Amino acid sequence: IKSIAPLMVGVFPFAGIVGITIVEVGIDPQPAMAMSIIIYAGASQIAISDLIGKGAPFIVIVFTAIIINLRFTMYSASIAPHLKKTSTLGKYILAYMLTDHAYALSMARFNRSPDDKYKIWFYAGCTIFMWFVWQIGTILGIYLGLLVPDSWSVGFAIPLSFLALLIPNIKDVAAGAAAVVSGLIAVFALKLPMNMGVIIAAICGIAFGFMVETIMEKEETHT
């Protein structure tokens, strides 16, 4: 808790924004809270809310959430060897609690102390504390969103939230290329049926970023 607490300064307000955005598109408080507990992924919750508000088909909503959360498969593969002594049920619970912040802190600690006997408990402490902070922040955002007049139009929080997630992660040329390509395609594919432009833009952006990264690695090898 001591390790992850400073990060909650950013997580708590973001959870509130997610709560506001969910009710802004017309989702009732009870389903909104259920979404926060079941999905427990800020970027996905915002994207899903936006698509629901636009009347997107169910399959598009599901695929969008899957694409946004694909990074967790890499997190899982990376952290799994450190938590292999956990029971099967315990692994399901730990997988559900996995977040970017808990993963980063846990892996930093595990790499520093590979023989630590308390890896599971450190990870559990980070994730459980963050889960409660997130749910409280989201609930407050949901009920705050109900009090905000429609004339305020706080829907602008959706693109701002995604920009806040995007910009810190553009750390190299490949990531920048992926962001630019996916952004451009999303604009040009805006009028595609069933909001398929989002999925097409994401796939093309990932593919282009991977291609750029591969080319750069080959150039480095030659030099």
Side-chain angles (χ1 to χ4, degrees):
I1 292 173
K2 183 179 178 182
S3 297
I4 202 169
L7 301 181
M8 298 303 100
V9 175
V11 169
F12 187 75
F14 180 58
I17 290 174
V18 170
I20 292 173
T21 349
I22 293 173
V23 294
E24 176 72 9
V25 300
I27 299 174
D28 292 332
Q30 289 77 14
M33 286 187 282
M35 179 192 291
S36 180
I37 292 171
I38 295 169
I39 299 174
Y40 186 44
S44 290
Q45 288 172 231
I46 291 179
I48 289 170
S49 303
D50 187 38
L51 291 172
I52 289 174
K54 293 177 179 177
F58 177 74
I59 190 68
V60 173
I61 295 172
V62 171
F63 271 109
T64 301
I66 289 172
I67 289 171
I68 291 173
N69 287 330
L70 276 177
R71 68 188 186 281
F72 287 108
T73 59
M74 294 183 288
Y75 291 171
S76 298
S78 173
I79 204 169
H82 299 283
L83 306 175
K84 60 185 178 183
K85 294 182 180 179
T86 317
S87 65
T88 301
L89 176 61
K91 287 176 181 176
Y92 279 118
I93 296 172
L94 295 181
Y96 162 72
M97 303 292 280
L98 183 61
T99 63
D100 301 273
H101 305 74
Y103 169 79
L105 284 173
S106 297
M107 288 303 295
R109 181 183 175 93
F110 298 165
N111 289 331
R112 286 196 309 269
S113 307
D115 298 324
D116 190 348
K117 297 179 181 179
Y118 304 103
K119 290 180 180 179
I120 295 171
W121 297 110
F122 179 84
Y123 174 86
C126 286
T127 54
I128 291 171
F129 179 71
M130 183 170 173
W131 187 89
F132 277 105
V133 171
W134 179 266
Q135 302 306 336
I136 293 169
T138 305
I139 290 170
L140 289 176
I142 288 169
Y143 285 99
L144 178 62
L146 294 174
L147 300 175
V148 175
D150 293 338
S151 58
W152 286 22
S153 186
V154 295
F156 69 89
I158 295 176
L160 288 180
S161 299
F162 276 117
L163 285 173
L165 291 171
L166 170 69
I167 293 172
N169 287 291
I170 301 178
K171 298 177 181 178
D172 52 37
V173 176
V180 170
V181 168
S182 59
L184 289 173
I185 292 176
V187 171
F188 287 113
L190 185 63
K191 295 185 178 181
L192 285 179
M194 300 189 302
N195 284 295
M196 287 299 294
V198 176
I199 294 177
I200 294 171
I203 294 172
C204 292
I206 292 169
F208 191 79
F210 179 75
M211 183 179 69
V212 171
E213 188 176 49
T214 303
I215 293 171
M216 292 179 65
E217 286 178 354
K218 287 181 179 178
E219 289 180 352
E220 288 178 3
T221 304
H222 288 309
T223 54

